[in-house]
Amino acid sequence: METAPMLTWTLQQEIPIPPDVTSLLVDGETAVASFSTFRDSATFTTRRLIVRDAQGITGKKVEIYSLPYSMINMWSSENAGRLDFNSEIELWTRAGHIKIKLAKGADVRRIDSLIAWAVLSVAKA
């Protein structure tokens, strides 16, 4: 039985690490790579994926999602084809199913390798 994703995010292009991510990090955690989202950013750290989501008309209301790599059980990646312009990553976690859509300009293989590094190396350490 197919279940609908609990969360859906759209990542666009890789960007410099946003300065405000630093205040979210714990001791020994460092930011590795960030991607722009529709209104904000998603950052891969040495311990988790942090998605910052500004909401409302002014964007002053901000929701922060934090997904520790140890919660990811499985993932899949799908690159865009000739007629299908959308790439996507899906994560199956202990918390639910997350779909990450990739806009044109986001490198699906770069993101797939970041998740592989995080889940297979970082989360097991």
Side-chain angles (χ1 to χ4, degrees):
M1 177 165 78
E2 180 70 22
T3 59
M6 185 175 89
L7 293 172
T8 302
W9 298 314
T10 300
L11 301 186
Q12 297 174 343
Q13 64 210 25
E14 192 160 357
I15 59 172
I17 307 294
D20 62 342
V21 168
T22 306
S23 65
L24 302 172
L25 304 178
V26 298
D27 287 341
E29 182 179 26
T30 56
V32 175
S34 289
F35 295 84
S36 60
T37 63
F38 178 66
R39 287 185 67 178
D40 238 309
S41 65
T43 300
F44 289 85
T45 76
T46 52
R47 296 188 179 182
R48 59 191 161 144
L49 173 61
I50 300 170
V51 178
R52 187 177 187 279
D53 183 21
Q55 300 176 356
I57 295 172
T58 64
K60 291 188 181 205
K61 180 179 178 181
V62 177
E63 188 166 11
I64 305 287
Y65 295 93
S66 181
L67 176 64
Y69 300 135
S70 61
M71 297 291 287
I72 299 172
N73 297 322
M74 183 176 91
W75 75 95
S76 69
S77 64
E78 177 181 286
N79 62 312
R82 284 185 188 252
L83 300 175
D84 179 13
F85 300 110
N86 300 321
S87 297
E88 63 184 37
I89 303 272
E90 290 189 67
L91 305 174
W92 285 266
T93 74
R94 291 185 222 159
H97 183 199
I98 299 168
K99 185 176 276 192
I100 302 171
K101 295 181 180 190
L102 305 176
K104 187 176 182 179
D107 183 351
V108 67
R109 295 299 160 228
R110 165 87 168 125
I111 296 168
D112 185 47
S113 90
L114 281 167
I115 293 170
W117 164 78
V119 173
L120 301 174
S121 301
V122 176
K124 305 304 178 204

